[in-house]
Coordinates of all heavy atoms in Angstrom, one line a residue:
W1497 N -60.9 5.3 222.3 CA -60.4 5.3 223.7 C -60.8 4.0 224.4 O -61.8 3.4 224.1 CB -61.0 6.5 224.5 CG -60.6 7.8 224.0 CD1 -59.8 8.1 222.9 CD2 -60.8 9.0 224.6 NE1 -59.6 9.4 222.8 CE2 -60.2 10.1 223.9 CE3 -61.5 9.4 225.8 CZ2 -60.3 11.4 224.2 CZ3 -61.6 10.7 226.1 CH2 -61.0 11.7 225.4
K1498 N -60.0 3.7 225.4 CA -60.2 2.5 226.2 C -60.9 2.9 227.6 O -60.6 4.0 228.1 CB -58.9 1.7 226.5 CG -58.4 1.1 225.2 CD -57.1 0.3 225.5 CE -56.5 -0.3 224.3 NZ -55.3 -1.0 224.5
Y1499 N -61.6 2.0 228.1 CA -62.2 2.2 229.4 C -61.1 2.1 230.5 O -60.5 1.0 230.6 CB -63.4 1.2 229.7 CG -63.9 1.3 231.1 CD1 -64.7 2.3 231.5 CD2 -63.5 0.3 232.0 CE1 -65.2 2.3 232.8 CE2 -64.0 0.3 233.3 CZ -64.9 1.3 233.7 OH -65.4 1.3 235.0
I1500 N -60.9 3.1 231.3 CA -59.9 3.1 232.3 C -60.5 3.5 233.7 O -61.1 4.5 233.8 CB -58.7 4.1 232.0 CG1 -58.1 3.7 230.6 CG2 -57.7 4.1 233.0 CD1 -57.1 4.6 230.1
E1501 N -60.2 2.6 234.7 CA -60.8 2.9 236.0 C -59.7 3.5 236.9 O -60.0 4.3 237.8 CB -61.4 1.6 236.6 CG -62.6 1.2 235.9 CD -63.2 0.0 236.6 OE1 -62.4 -0.8 237.3 OE2 -64.4 -0.3 236.5
D1502 N -58.5 3.0 236.8 CA -57.4 3.3 237.8 C -56.7 4.6 237.3 O -56.0 4.6 236.3 CB -56.4 2.1 237.9 CG -55.4 2.4 239.0 OD1 -55.6 3.3 239.8 OD2 -54.3 1.8 238.9
M1503 N -56.8 5.7 238.1 CA -56.1 6.9 237.8 C -55.3 7.3 239.0 O -55.9 7.7 240.0 CB -57.1 8.0 237.4 CG -57.9 7.8 236.1 SD -58.9 9.2 235.7 CE -60.0 9.2 237.1
T1504 N -54.0 7.1 238.9 CA -53.2 7.3 240.1 C -52.3 8.5 240.1 O -51.8 9.0 241.1 CB -52.3 6.0 240.3 OG1 -51.5 5.8 239.1 CG2 -53.1 4.8 240.6
D1508 N -51.6 14.1 236.0 CA -52.3 13.7 234.8 C -53.8 14.0 235.0 O -54.5 14.4 234.1 CB -52.1 12.3 234.4 CG -50.7 12.1 233.8 OD1 -50.2 13.1 233.2 OD2 -50.1 11.1 234.0
I1509 N -54.3 13.7 236.3 CA -55.7 13.9 236.6 C -56.0 15.4 236.4 O -57.1 15.8 235.9 CB -56.0 13.4 238.0 CG1 -55.9 11.9 238.0 CG2 -57.4 13.8 238.4 CD1 -56.0 11.3 239.4
D1511 N -54.7 17.5 234.4 CA -54.6 17.9 233.0 C -55.9 17.6 232.3 O -56.2 16.4 231.9 CB -53.5 17.1 232.3 CG -53.3 17.5 230.8 OD1 -54.0 18.5 230.4 OD2 -52.5 17.0 230.1
S1512 N -56.8 18.6 232.1 CA -58.1 18.4 231.5 C -58.1 17.9 230.1 O -59.1 17.4 229.5 CB -58.9 19.7 231.6 OG -58.3 20.7 230.8
E1513 N -57.0 18.1 229.4 CA -56.9 17.7 228.0 C -56.1 16.3 227.8 O -56.0 15.9 226.7 CB -56.1 18.7 227.1 CG -56.8 20.1 227.2 CD -58.3 20.0 226.7 OE1 -58.5 19.2 225.8 OE2 -59.1 20.7 227.2
N1514 N -55.7 15.7 228.9 CA -55.0 14.4 228.8 C -56.0 13.3 228.5 O -56.9 13.0 229.2 CB -54.2 14.1 230.1 CG -53.3 13.0 229.9 OD1 -53.7 11.8 229.7 ND2 -52.0 13.3 229.9
I1515 N -55.8 12.7 227.3 CA -56.7 11.6 226.9 C -56.5 10.3 227.7 O -57.5 9.7 228.1 CB -56.4 11.3 225.4 CG1 -56.7 12.5 224.6 CG2 -57.2 10.1 224.9 CD1 -56.3 12.4 223.1
K1516 N -55.3 10.0 228.0 CA -55.0 8.7 228.6 C -55.7 8.5 230.0 O -56.1 7.4 230.3 CB -53.5 8.6 228.9 CG -53.1 7.3 229.4 CD -51.5 7.2 229.5 CE -51.1 5.9 230.1 NZ -49.6 5.8 230.3
Y1517 N -56.0 9.6 230.7 CA -56.5 9.4 232.1 C -57.9 9.9 232.2 O -58.4 10.3 233.3 CB -55.6 10.1 233.1 CG -54.3 9.3 233.2 CD1 -53.2 9.8 232.5 CD2 -54.2 8.1 233.9 CE1 -52.0 9.1 232.6 CE2 -53.0 7.5 234.0 CZ -51.9 8.0 233.3 OH -50.7 7.3 233.4
K1518 N -58.7 10.0 231.1 CA -60.1 10.4 231.2 C -60.9 9.2 231.5 O -60.7 8.1 231.0 CB -60.5 11.1 230.0 CG -60.0 12.5 229.8 CD -60.6 13.2 228.6 CE -60.0 14.6 228.4 NZ -60.3 15.5 229.5
K1519 N -61.9 9.3 232.3 CA -62.8 8.2 232.7 C -63.9 8.0 231.7 O -64.7 8.9 231.5 CB -63.3 8.3 234.1 CG -64.2 7.1 234.6 CD -64.6 7.3 236.0 CE -65.4 6.1 236.5 NZ -65.9 6.3 237.9
V1520 N -64.0 6.9 231.0 CA -65.0 6.7 230.0 C -66.0 5.7 230.6 O -65.7 4.6 231.0 CB -64.4 6.0 228.7 CG1 -65.5 5.7 227.7 CG2 -63.3 6.9 228.2
P1521 N -67.3 6.1 230.6 CA -68.4 5.3 231.1 C -68.5 4.0 230.3 O -68.1 3.9 229.2 CB -69.7 6.1 230.9 CG -69.2 7.5 230.9 CD -67.8 7.5 230.2
K1522 N -69.0 2.9 231.0 CA -69.0 1.6 230.4 C -70.0 1.5 229.2 O -69.8 0.6 228.4 CB -69.4 0.5 231.5 CG -68.3 0.4 232.5 CD -68.7 -0.7 233.5 CE -67.6 -0.9 234.5 NZ -68.0 -2.0 235.5
N1523 N -70.9 2.4 229.2 CA -71.9 2.4 228.1 C -71.5 3.2 226.9 O -72.2 3.3 225.9 CB -73.2 2.9 228.6 CG -73.2 4.4 228.8 OD1 -72.2 4.9 229.3 ND2 -74.2 5.1 228.5
T1524 N -70.2 3.7 226.9 CA -69.8 4.7 225.9 C -68.6 4.3 225.1 O -67.6 3.6 225.7 CB -69.5 6.0 226.6 OG1 -70.6 6.4 227.4 CG2 -69.1 7.1 225.6
L1525 N -68.6 4.6 223.8 CA -67.4 4.5 223.0 C -67.0 5.9 222.6 O -67.8 6.7 222.2 CB -67.7 3.7 221.7 CG -67.9 2.2 221.8 CD1 -68.4 1.6 220.5 CD2 -66.6 1.5 222.3
V1526 N -65.7 6.2 222.7 CA -65.1 7.5 222.3 C -64.1 7.3 221.2 O -63.2 6.5 221.3 CB -64.4 8.2 223.5 CG1 -63.9 9.6 223.1 CG2 -65.4 8.3 224.7
K1552 N -73.2 -0.9 224.3 CA -72.9 0.5 224.2 C -74.1 1.3 223.6 O -74.6 0.9 222.6 CB -71.7 0.8 223.3 CG -70.5 -0.1 223.7 CD -69.9 0.3 225.0 CE -68.6 -0.5 225.4 NZ -68.1 -0.1 226.7
I1556 N -69.2 9.0 221.3 CA -68.7 10.3 221.3 C -67.6 10.4 220.3 O -66.7 9.6 220.2 CB -68.1 10.7 222.7 CG1 -69.1 10.6 223.8 CG2 -67.5 12.1 222.7 CD1 -68.6 10.8 225.2
T1618 N -64.6 17.5 225.9 CA -64.8 16.1 226.0 C -65.4 15.7 227.4 O -66.2 14.8 227.5 CB -63.5 15.3 225.7 OG1 -63.0 15.8 224.4 CG2 -63.7 13.8 225.6
D1619 N -64.9 16.5 228.4 CA -65.4 16.2 229.8 C -66.9 16.4 229.8 O -67.6 15.6 230.5 CB -64.7 17.1 230.7 CG -63.3 16.8 231.0 OD1 -62.9 15.7 230.6 OD2 -62.5 17.7 231.4
D1620 N -67.4 17.4 229.1 CA -68.9 17.6 229.1 C -69.6 16.4 228.5 O -70.7 16.0 228.9 CB -69.2 18.9 228.4 CG -68.6 20.1 229.1 OD1 -68.5 20.1 230.3 OD2 -68.2 21.0 228.3
A1621 N -69.0 15.9 227.4 CA -69.6 14.8 226.6 C -69.6 13.5 227.5 O -70.6 12.8 227.5 CB -68.9 14.6 225.3
L1622 N -68.5 13.3 228.2 CA -68.4 12.1 229.1 C -69.4 12.2 230.2 O -70.0 11.2 230.6 CB -66.9 12.0 229.6 CG -65.9 11.7 228.6 CD1 -64.5 11.8 229.2 CD2 -66.1 10.2 228.0
L1623 N -69.6 13.4 230.8 CA -70.5 13.6 231.8 C -71.9 13.3 231.4 O -72.7 12.7 232.1 CB -70.4 15.1 232.4 CG -71.2 15.4 233.6 CD1 -70.8 14.5 234.8 CD2 -71.1 16.9 234.0
L1624 N -72.3 13.8 230.2 CA -73.6 13.5 229.6 C -73.8 12.1 229.3 O -74.9 11.5 229.6 CB -73.8 14.3 228.3 CG -75.1 14.2 227.6 CD1 -76.3 14.6 228.5 CD2 -75.1 15.1 226.3
A1625 N -72.7 11.4 228.9 CA -72.8 9.9 228.6 C -73.0 9.2 229.9 O -73.8 8.2 230.0 CB -71.5 9.5 228.0
E1626 N -72.4 9.6 231.0 CA -72.6 9.0 232.3 C -74.1 9.2 232.8 O -74.7 8.3 233.4 CB -71.6 9.6 233.3 CG -71.8 9.1 234.8 CD -71.5 7.6 234.9 OE1 -70.8 7.0 234.0 OE2 -71.9 7.0 235.9
E1627 N -74.6 10.4 232.6 CA -76.0 10.6 232.9 C -76.9 9.7 232.1 O -77.9 9.2 232.7 CB -76.3 12.1 232.7 CG -75.6 13.1 233.6 CD -75.9 14.5 233.2 OE1 -76.6 14.8 232.2 OE2 -75.4 15.4 233.9
R1629 N -76.2 6.8 231.0 CA -76.0 5.4 231.5 C -76.8 5.2 232.8 O -77.5 4.2 232.9 CB -74.5 5.2 231.8 CG -74.2 3.8 232.3 CD -72.8 3.6 232.7 NE -72.5 4.3 234.0 CZ -72.7 3.8 235.2 NH1 -73.3 2.5 235.3 NH2 -72.5 4.4 236.3
I1630 N -76.8 6.2 233.7 CA -77.5 6.1 234.9 C -79.0 6.1 234.7 O -79.8 5.4 235.3 CB -77.1 7.3 235.9 CG1 -75.7 7.1 236.3 CG2 -78.0 7.3 237.1 CD1 -75.1 8.3 237.1
R1633 N -80.2 2.8 233.3 CA -79.8 1.6 234.1 C -81.0 0.8 234.6 O -82.1 1.4 235.0 CB -79.0 2.0 235.3 CG -78.3 0.9 236.0 CD -77.2 1.4 236.9 NE -77.6 2.5 237.8 CZ -76.8 3.1 238.7 NH1 -75.5 2.9 238.7 NH2 -77.3 4.0 239.5

Side-chain angles (χ1 to χ4, degrees):
W1497 290 9
K1498 294 181 179 179
Y1499 172 76
I1500 298 174
E1501 291 183 335
D1502 184 23
M1503 296 185 294
T1504 56
D1508 288 325
I1509 294 172
D1511 181 6
S1512 63
E1513 300 304 325
N1514 192 291
I1515 296 172
K1516 184 178 178 181
Y1517 292 100
K1518 287 186 181 295
K1519 185 177 180 180
V1520 179
K1522 292 182 178 180
N1523 69 322
T1524 304
L1525 287 172
V1526 182
K1552 307 294 183 181
I1556 299 173
T1618 307
D1619 289 341
D1620 299 325
L1622 292 172
L1623 186 61
L1624 180 57
E1626 178 65 19
E1627 291 175 359
R1629 185 186 72 83
I1630 295 172
R1633 191 166 54 183

